[in-house]
């Protein structure tokens, strides 16, 4: 008898998706009403996911594993969806008649990624990943007056399809050398065969699909264009929730090698260094803040990989903590972007001029989030970097950590440019006033408190991250 | 009800000092924008409280007993072995006192500030919280966290309230210092990992000890990382630029206290944990310090901007600290710590004096000034006292500090020691040249109607002058404290 209760969060999101699917059938849906529905639905979703966090068990002939690792990431995903829905009250970037579809696809994508983090069988993983990808392929070109961004959607789709083709090719190799598609069995067999080129190539290609999601160099090429081309809320979702799922899967796949291949570690080190350095150097010259955050996300994928490539419990747990930190900080940045550009246009850095006068609370949220991304204490971004670097040094990767720290210094330069715009620059022309509704105030305050509190008192969250990865096969 | 002395000894005085700054920050944040006067009063009140507590700490610290006193230790992050661990010993008590003095006088010096007052004082308190944190913490994690906390407020403080290429100066300073911490963090984590990844407690790590090879690698990272902040040549270039760009009180805190964090970090973290690394690199340290002393003096000679002169003199004087540390002798390190203290007070006085002149004349170019001692004798006197202290005139606290360092330096590194002493002669030359050109000579008629500094605004400078002379006359009062930590430290090398 299957325990369907284990599937509660997913079922809930199926229901939510159905609700929005029905809404999308209406000819003239009222965006206000949709928003009023979406917020409580996403909020309840978060509550349901949290309530199910302690569940454990297997479903669907053991291809679906419910454990602390998957449930914690589901909470992150539900949190990401909730955050994004919250900032959709002025969804100007997307045509009003498409709002129903927007929420529908958002729910489906969240559902798909929840299934992804629980899937422990290659084909299930692949199908869940594709489901989430196709939702995003549709969300990206949904932007209002999208003609100029159609190219972005096509590019995203083409690159994504290629990545997933390579990925299933790699999974084929993995199956070939291990004769199984179950992760638990692969973990048993792969370390013994990892010296074979087919196994290593298979694992790397399979990882490539998730690296693509994470925008790790050289799988990053879609990121800047998609960040820029998608509506602000969609970008927020891609930059937060979808990164979570990718991080979870990279941890799971790298974990399959159980640290047996020196060559794999070397390859990951190279990717990590290239990703950090490339992302940070190119971010320096960006004028569009979404592009800047896209390049910074490439760099952050590199930092996160440092933790993962240690292949130790400490390394994985640091990556989980880092992922949570990244979710919160990145969301804070995007929330400010969405509020400062309520009409949904692409915000330039210079448009932030004088933000500290136009809205002190948004300016402060932005500053703390950027300091967090740069890894400055006492924010949770600092603690994240600290944990990742500590894990790497336990394995003796001193040079890697030094390179990481130098990169953090470089990144500070462009984050400071944004902070400078918000705090020091005087606007050259009148920008429209920033309307900050009470909800945004509450959210900003909550984010600021979260960023500082988790940074200063990380103990409980570190313990949670450690417990999360302790259950990995 | 009054507390008895015993009860008061249990009082977590270090936390009280540290958190008084954070409470001040919070209180200031809740004061409305249109009440700048209140912001200043609150700032002054908290600075006075900090000063009173620091004085109490200094007076109740027992040099006879030595070792760690006023210890507070709480487990913070269990799995990594991070402790909230504050303690006072002979090395940090003078630094805590210095910070309190500079903060107090800095608040007074900025009494006439009228631009974004609330933010200014809030950021200053954040900065000082970081500084106190570094000086008091005995846990590597917290030392690093506070270190970074102290660096960040510098950027807005300089970029908003500064002058002369302020944005460039602020950015350069921040990136340089962050590059320093890019070496410190891996250095600290490296030691932690090598020691088994179970504790960040400084003394626990010291007890565990490290291989020579590990010490050599870690020491050079820590030395360079902290050395950037200490203004070690050739990583000093951010420092004169930053000093010049910063507003008066920020220059005071920055040159007076923040640079000391660098030297203190080398001593507290680098030298304590990696004594064999120190032995290996001491030669290079001494060489860089000597170059810094001589180079700072010569470049100072060529400057026409008063703040640049002080900026380069700081490079030179911090070189003396570096040289003292590199001697690895009791006298040398005593002198170095004493020099940190007296240089902090002296530079604060320097910048405070220049600040007044700049506020009134809107220039700090030496050729445009001249004859100021006739129009503003009191304001000039403060600068001249600081200059004398900079030269190392007897009866000034820096005299004893420099004497101790140079005696041990000549003994330990004869050639470099003598070169360094000769640098001091050049430094005397440029100080006297500045004094002569700025305060004596022909009077510039433009400055005739400028009022001399009133008593209230003079009070911070009077305090600083008083301290310089007081410790010049009674150096043992502070040297005994310093020595109580340095003697066991040198014996353990």
């Amino acid at each position: 008898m299957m325990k369907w209760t284990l599937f509660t969060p997913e079922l809930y999101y199926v229901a939510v998706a159905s609700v929005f699917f029905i809404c999308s059938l209406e000819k003239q849906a009222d965006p206000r009403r949709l928003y009023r529905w979406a917020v409580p639905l996403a909020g309840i979703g978060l509550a349901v996911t949290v309530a199910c966090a302690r569940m454990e068990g297997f479903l669907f002939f053991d291809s679906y594993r419910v454990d602390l690792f998957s449930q914690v990431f589901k909470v992150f995903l539900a949190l990401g969806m909730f955050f994004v829905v919250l900032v959709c009250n002025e969804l100007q970037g997307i045509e009003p008649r498409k709002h129903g579809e927007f929420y529908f696809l958002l729910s489906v994508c969240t559902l798909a990624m929840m299934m992804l983090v629980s899937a422990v069988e290659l084909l299930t993983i692949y199908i869940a990943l594709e489901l989430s990808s196709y939702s995003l392929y549709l969300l990206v070109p949904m932007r209002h007056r999208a003609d100029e961004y159609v190219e972005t959607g096509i590019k995203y789709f083409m690159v994504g399809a290629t990545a997933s083709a390579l990925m299933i090719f790699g999974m084929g190799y993995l199956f070939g050398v291990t004769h199984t598609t179950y992760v638990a069995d692969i973990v048993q067999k792969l370390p013994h065969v990892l010296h074979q080129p087919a196994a290593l190539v298979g694992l790397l290609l399979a990882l490539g699909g998730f690296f693509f999601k994470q925008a790790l160099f050289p799988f990053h090429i879609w990121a800047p264009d998609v960040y820029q081309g998608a509506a602000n809320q969609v970008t927020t979702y891609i930059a937060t929730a979808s990164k979570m799922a990718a991080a979870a899967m990279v941890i799971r796949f790298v974990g399959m090698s159980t640290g047996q291949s020196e060559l794999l570690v070397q390859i990951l080190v190279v990717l990590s260094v290239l990703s950090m350095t490339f992302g940070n150097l190119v971010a320096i010259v960006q004028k569009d803040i979404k592009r800047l955050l896209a390049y910074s996300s490439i760099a952050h994928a590199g930092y996160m990989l440092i933790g993962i490539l240690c292949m130790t419990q400490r390394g994985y747990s640091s990556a989980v903590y880092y992922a949570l930190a990244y979710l919160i900080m990145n969301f804070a940045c995007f929330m400010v972007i969405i509020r400062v550009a309520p009409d949904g246009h692409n915000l330039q850095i210079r448009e932030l001029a004088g933000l500290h006068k136009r809205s002190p609370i948004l300016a402060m949220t932005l500053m703390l989030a950027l300091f967090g991304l740069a890894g400055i204490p006492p924010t949770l971004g600092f603690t994240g970097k600290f944990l990742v670097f500590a894990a790497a040094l336990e394995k003796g990767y001193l040079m890697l950590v030094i390179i990481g720290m130098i990169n953090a210094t470089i990144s500070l330069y462009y984050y400071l440019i944004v902070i400078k715009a918000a705090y020091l620059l005087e606007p050259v022309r009148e920008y429209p006033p920033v309307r900050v509704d009470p909800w945004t105030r509450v959210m900003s305050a909550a984010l600021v408190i979260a960023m500082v509190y988790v940074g200063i008192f990380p103990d409980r969250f570190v313990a949670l991250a450690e417990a999360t990865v302790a259950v990995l096969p | 009800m009054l507390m008895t002395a015993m009860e008061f000894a249990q009082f977590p005085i270090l936390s009280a000092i540290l958190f008084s700054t954070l409470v001040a920050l919070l209180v200031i944040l809740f004061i409305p924008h249109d009440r700048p006067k209140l912001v200043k009063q609150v700032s002054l009140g908290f600075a006075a409280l900090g000063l009173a507590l620091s004085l109490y700490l200094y007076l109740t610290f027992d040099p006879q007993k030595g070792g760690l006193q006023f210890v507070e230790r709480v487990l913070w992050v269990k799995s990594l072995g991070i402790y909230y661990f504050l303690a006072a010993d002979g090395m940090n008590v003078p630094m805590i006192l210095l910070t309190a003095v500079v903060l107090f006088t800095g608040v007074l010096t900025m009494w006439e500030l009228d631009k974004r007052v609330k933010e200014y004082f809030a950021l200053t308190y954040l900065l000082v919280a970081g500084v106190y944190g570094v000086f008091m913490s005995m846990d590597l994690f917290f030392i690093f966290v506070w270190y970074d906390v102290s660096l960040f407020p510098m950027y807005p403080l300089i970029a908003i309230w500064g002058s002369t290429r302020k944005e460039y100066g602020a950015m350069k300073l921040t990136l340089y210092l962050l590059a320093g911490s890019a070496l410190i963090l891996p250095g600290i984590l490296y030691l932690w990992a090598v020691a088994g990844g179970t504790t960040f407690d400084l003394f626990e790590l010291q007890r565990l000890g490290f291989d020579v090879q590990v010490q050599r690698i870690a020491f050079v990272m820590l030395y360079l990382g902290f050395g950037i902040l200490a203004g070690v040549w050739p990583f000093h270039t951010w420092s004169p630029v930053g000093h010049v760009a910063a507003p008066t009180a920020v220059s005071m805190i920055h040159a007076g206290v923040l640079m000391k964090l660098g030297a203190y970090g080398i001593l507290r973290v680098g030298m304590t944990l990696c004594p064999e690394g120190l032995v290996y690199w001491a030669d290079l340290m001494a060489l860089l310090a000597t170059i810094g002393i001589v180079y700072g003096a010569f470049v100072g000679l060529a400057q026409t901007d008063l703040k640049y002169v002080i900026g380069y003199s700081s490079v030179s004087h911090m070189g003396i600290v570096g040289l003292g540390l590199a001697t690895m002798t009791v006298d040398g390190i005593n002198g170095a710590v004493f020099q940190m203290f007296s240089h902090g007070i002296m530079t604060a006085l320097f910048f405070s004096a220049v600040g007044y002149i700049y506020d009134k004349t809107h220039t700090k170019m030496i050729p445009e000034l001249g004859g100021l001692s006739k129009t503003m004798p009191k304001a000039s006197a403060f600068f001249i006292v600081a200059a004398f202290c900079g030269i190392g005139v007897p009866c000034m606290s820096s005299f004893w500090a420099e004497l101790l360092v140079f005696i041990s330096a000549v003994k330990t590194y004869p050639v470099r020691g003598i070169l360094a002493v000769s640098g001091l002669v050049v430094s005397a030359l440029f100080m006297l040249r500045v004094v002569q050109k700025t305060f004596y000579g022909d009077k510039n008629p433009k400055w005739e109607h400028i009022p001399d500094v009133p008593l209230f605004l003079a009070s911070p400078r009077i305090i600083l002058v008083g301290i310089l002379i007081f410790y010049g006359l009674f150096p043992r009062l502070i040297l005994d404290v310093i020595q109580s930590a340095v003697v066991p430290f040198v014996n353990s090398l």
Side-chain angles (χ1 to χ4, degrees):
Chain A
M1 180 67 191
M2 248 174 44
K3 281 190 281 179
W4 281 97
T5 44
L6 293 177
F7 208 52
T8 311
E10 289 85 342
L11 284 176
Y12 177 80
Y13 279 92
V14 169
V16 173
S18 315
V19 170
F20 287 119
F21 176 68
I22 293 164
C23 292
S24 73
L25 298 178
E26 276 185 77
K27 255 191 182 154
Q28 273 304 334
D30 175 16
R32 292 258 133 233
R33 204 186 71 208
L34 277 171
Y35 177 71
R36 278 200 298 275
W37 275 88
V39 172
L41 283 176
I44 295 169
L46 179 59
V48 169
T49 324
V50 172
C52 298
R54 286 279 167 192
M55 285 182 173
E56 274 178 30
F58 286 92
L59 287 171
F60 312 126
F61 305 102
D62 291 354
S63 68
Y64 200 83
R65 180 173 157 150
V66 175
D67 55 15
L68 194 62
F69 180 78
S70 66
Q71 299 310 88
V72 165
F73 271 96
K74 280 176 202 169
V75 172
F76 289 174
L77 290 169
L79 188 68
M81 161 119 181
F82 179 60
F83 277 165
V84 173
V85 168
L86 275 182
V87 291
C88 284
N89 55 341
E90 282 175 281
L91 195 52
Q92 301 286 349
I94 289 178
E95 270 182 67
R97 66 182 174 84
K98 287 186 187 159
H99 281 197
E101 279 105 318
F102 169 79
Y103 289 117
F104 165 66
L105 289 170
L106 212 56
S107 318
V108 171
C109 191
T110 310
L111 166 70
M113 290 195 294
M114 286 187 168
M115 291 166 67
L116 183 63
V117 294
S118 261
V120 284
E121 192 269 339
L122 293 183
L123 283 176
T124 322
I125 291 172
Y126 182 74
I127 289 167
L129 182 79
E130 287 300 274
L131 184 58
S132 74
S133 298
Y134 276 87
S135 317
L136 291 179
Y137 296 153
L138 292 172
L139 278 169
V140 170
M142 239 190 200
R143 193 170 192 181
H144 207 24
R145 290 184 291 277
D147 295 349
E148 54 186 312
Y149 298 118
V150 165
E151 188 193 329
T152 305
I154 293 172
K155 188 171 180 181
Y156 188 35
F157 174 70
M158 299 305 274
V159 178
T162 313
S164 79
L166 288 174
M167 188 176 149
I168 195 142
F169 190 55
M171 286 177 168
Y173 270 6
L174 281 180
F175 174 73
V177 289
T178 59
H179 300 288
T180 177
T181 57
Y182 282 87
V183 171
D185 296 336
I186 296 175
V187 171
Q188 301 289 326
K189 293 179 183 166
L190 193 65
H192 305 293
V193 292
L194 207 54
H195 57 274
Q196 295 178 21
L200 188 64
V201 169
L203 184 59
L204 279 173
L205 287 180
L207 272 171
F210 302 114
F211 287 159
F212 165 79
K213 284 266 166 201
Q214 254 196 330
L216 188 91
F217 183 91
F219 305 90
H220 67 282
I221 37 171
W222 60 275
D225 291 341
V226 169
Y227 270 51
Q228 194 182 18
N232 289 346
Q233 282 83 350
V234 174
T235 310
T236 311
Y237 188 75
I238 293 174
T240 53
S242 89
K243 293 284 162 69
M244 292 301 107
M249 295 320 287
V250 172
I251 293 174
R252 179 154 274 162
F253 268 70
V254 171
M256 290 200 297
S257 75
T258 59
Q260 297 296 315
S261 169
E262 199 53 40
L263 186 59
L264 177 67
V265 175
Q266 282 165 4
I267 292 170
L268 294 182
V269 166
V270 170
L271 288 181
S272 158
V273 168
L274 286 177
S275 198
M276 288 188 291
T277 314
F278 172 81
N280 281 326
L281 288 180
V282 183
I284 289 176
V285 293
Q286 302 306 319
K287 301 268 183 281
D288 182 303
I289 191 157
K290 284 203 291 180
R291 276 190 92 83
L292 182 139
L293 286 171
Y295 282 105
S296 107
S297 81
I298 297 168
H300 282 282
Y303 297 127
M304 217 182 292
L305 191 60
I306 294 181
I308 297 171
L309 63 82
C310 296
M311 299 185 197
T312 56
Q313 290 288 317
R314 181 108 76 190
Y316 296 138
S317 69
S318 70
V320 171
Y321 185 96
Y322 199 98
L324 172 69
Y326 186 69
L327 169 78
I328 294 175
M329 296 178 303
N330 229 9
F331 175 73
C333 290
F334 277 103
M335 188 196 72
V336 175
I337 294 172
I338 289 168
R339 290 294 173 241
V340 178
D343 59 348
H345 76 284
N346 281 344
L347 196 69
Q348 304 298 304
I349 293 173
R350 62 168 192 281
E351 289 176 64
L352 287 169
L355 184 65
H356 77 102
K357 276 189 208 144
R358 291 151 69 202
S359 169
I361 183 131
L362 286 185
M364 189 160 97
T365 312
L366 181 68
M367 180 176 73
L368 265 176
L370 291 173
F371 271 157
L373 287 171
I376 303 306
T379 59
L380 80 175
F382 163 73
T383 318
K385 279 211 177 68
F386 186 85
L387 292 171
V388 166
F389 291 159
L393 275 167
E394 261 189 334
K395 292 281 282 186
Y397 303 139
L398 182 61
M399 270 324 284
L400 184 59
V401 173
I402 292 178
I403 294 172
M405 275 305 285
I406 291 170
N407 265 292
T409 312
I410 299 173
S411 75
L412 185 73
Y413 176 74
Y414 59 79
Y415 292 130
L416 271 182
I417 289 179
V418 181
I419 294 170
K420 188 176 99 177
Y423 274 88
L424 302 179
L425 290 190
E426 291 302 322
V428 277
R429 65 179 179 84
E430 268 308 293
Y431 290 115
V434 181
R435 211 170 54 78
V436 187
D437 51 90
W439 261 113
T440 308
R441 272 177 209 285
V442 172
M443 240 180 353
S444 300
L447 285 168
V448 165
I449 292 169
M451 283 188 280
V452 176
Y453 180 83
V454 184
I456 296 179
F457 303 100
D459 204 13
R460 207 174 299 166
F461 297 89
V462 173
L464 175 71
E466 279 169 356
T468 303
V469 297
V471 300
L472 278 178
Chain B
M1 207 172 75
L2 282 171
M3 274 191 280
T4 63
M6 273 303 284
E7 277 169 345
F8 200 70
Q10 305 294 317
F11 176 70
I13 186 162
L14 293 173
S15 286
I17 298 173
L18 179 57
F19 286 101
S20 73
T21 55
L22 293 173
V23 173
L25 169 70
L26 280 179
V27 173
I28 291 169
L29 283 181
F30 282 102
I31 298 175
H33 269 284
D34 51 0
R35 304 282 303 276
K37 189 88 184 164
L38 184 63
V39 169
K40 288 177 192 169
Q41 284 161 348
V42 167
S43 299
L44 189 64
F46 276 100
L49 174 71
L51 182 59
L53 288 171
S54 308
L55 266 176
Y56 179 82
L57 176 79
Y58 167 66
L59 294 173
T60 49
F61 179 82
D62 185 358
Q64 300 299 323
K65 205 168 121 199
L68 294 183
Q69 301 178 19
F70 306 98
V71 176
E72 297 166 33
R73 198 163 181 270
V74 179
L75 184 60
W76 202 260
V77 179
K78 199 174 161 202
S79 59
L80 299 169
I82 297 172
Y83 290 86
Y84 172 80
F85 179 13
L86 303 184
D89 71 354
M91 288 178 194
N92 64 6
V93 167
M95 296 299 115
I96 294 168
L97 183 64
L98 168 73
T99 312
V101 169
V102 174
L103 172 66
F104 183 74
T105 52
V107 171
L108 279 175
T109 300
M110 293 308 270
W111 204 254
E112 291 187 315
L113 181 81
D114 53 6
K115 180 184 167 192
R116 292 166 84 169
V117 175
K118 174 176 154 173
E119 288 145 296
Y120 176 85
F121 284 102
L123 285 167
T124 304
Y125 269 101
L126 184 62
L127 193 165
V128 174
V131 173
Y132 275 135
V134 176
F135 284 144
M136 294 171 182
S137 295
M138 298 294 157
D139 178 282
L140 293 186
F141 174 84
F142 273 101
I143 289 179
F144 183 80
V145 167
W146 289 118
Y147 179 83
D148 263 14
V149 167
S150 71
L151 297 185
F152 273 88
M154 289 303 285
Y155 180 78
L157 279 170
I158 294 177
I160 299 175
W161 292 275
S163 55
T164 326
R165 293 207 294 166
K166 53 187 184 181
E167 281 177 22
Y168 167 76
M171 186 64 95
K172 182 166 183 176
L173 179 143
T174 312
L175 290 180
Y176 255 75
L177 300 187
L178 243 273
S181 72
L183 286 171
I184 298 172
L185 183 65
I188 286 175
L189 284 172
Y190 180 53
L191 290 176
W192 167 81
V194 170
T198 50
T199 182
F200 278 97
D201 181 328
L202 186 75
F203 296 99
E204 189 62 24
L205 286 171
Q206 189 188 20
R207 201 182 54 76
L208 290 170
F210 299 98
D211 285 353
V212 179
Q213 197 54 34
V214 171
Q215 290 195 25
R216 285 178 186 172
I217 297 172
F219 184 82
V220 76
M221 287 165 70
L222 293 167
Y223 172 67
L224 291 178
F226 284 115
I228 291 177
L229 183 54
V232 168
W233 186 89
F235 312 106
H236 67 283
T237 57
W238 60 273
S239 136
V241 178
H243 288 159
V244 172
T248 304
V250 173
S251 300
M252 287 168 68
I253 294 174
H254 175 212
V257 180
L258 212 57
M259 284 176 88
K260 306 319 172 268
L261 286 190
Y264 177 82
I266 295 174
L267 176 64
R268 177 66 85 193
V269 184
M271 291 168 62
T272 306
L273 292 182
C274 312
E276 308 225 30
L278 168 69
V279 173
Y280 184 76
W281 293 103
D283 247 17
L284 181 74
M285 263 175 88
L287 180 68
L288 293 182
T290 310
I291 296 177
I293 296 171
V294 177
Y295 168 89
F298 271 104
V299 179
L301 200 57
Q303 299 305 314
T304 50
D305 182 317
L306 270 181
K307 276 193 155 184
Y308 266 117
V309 171
I310 310 170
Y312 281 103
S313 90
S314 274
V315 173
S316 181
H317 284 120
M318 288 305 289
I320 298 176
V321 175
L323 189 59
L325 294 179
T327 60
M328 298 180 286
T329 58
V330 172
D331 282 348
I333 297 175
N334 267 344
V337 178
F338 196 5
Q339 171 74 356
M340 286 195 232
F341 178 81
S342 67
H343 177 255
I345 303 282
M346 177 189 94
T347 337
L349 180 61
F350 256 135
F351 281 113
S352 182
V354 173
Y356 184 79
I357 295 169
Y358 180 69
D359 280 349
K360 298 298 161 196
T361 61
H362 298 291
T363 179
K364 43 192 167 52
M365 303 309 289
I366 297 168
E368 292 174 27
L369 297 164
L372 285 184
S373 66
K374 290 169 193 116
T375 48
M376 38 167 103
K378 276 188 270 172
S380 312
F382 295 128
F383 189 95
I384 295 168
V385 172
F388 280 158
C389 190
I391 299 169
V393 169
C395 293
M396 293 286 181
S397 63
S398 63
F399 168 75
W400 300 103
E402 291 175 14
L403 191 69
L404 284 169
V405 170
F406 286 127
I407 289 175
S408 6
V410 173
K411 272 191 209 154
T412 324
Y413 309 102
V415 178
R416 272 164 282 186
I418 290 166
L419 268 175
V421 176
S422 69
L424 209 61
V425 178
V426 182
S427 138
L429 187 66
F430 83 72
M431 284 291 177
L432 291 176
R433 189 188 68 99
V434 170
V435 168
Q436 197 273 331
K437 286 198 174 165
T438 314
F439 301 102
Y440 298 101
D442 293 335
K443 204 160 66 169
N444 187 336
K446 251 173 44 186
W447 318 127
E448 253 177 18
H449 304 292
I450 289 178
D452 201 359
V453 48
L455 185 65
F456 178 70
L457 291 181
S459 59
R461 289 119 185 156
I462 295 172
I463 296 171
L464 295 169
V465 169
I467 295 172
L468 286 178
I469 296 175
F470 179 75
Y471 286 113
L473 295 175
F474 308 105
R476 283 247 74 90
L477 287 180
I478 201 155
L479 272 174
D480 283 345
V481 173
I482 298 171
Q483 204 158 339
S484 71
V486 171
V487 172
F489 174 72
V490 172
N491 289 339
S492 72
L493 281 181

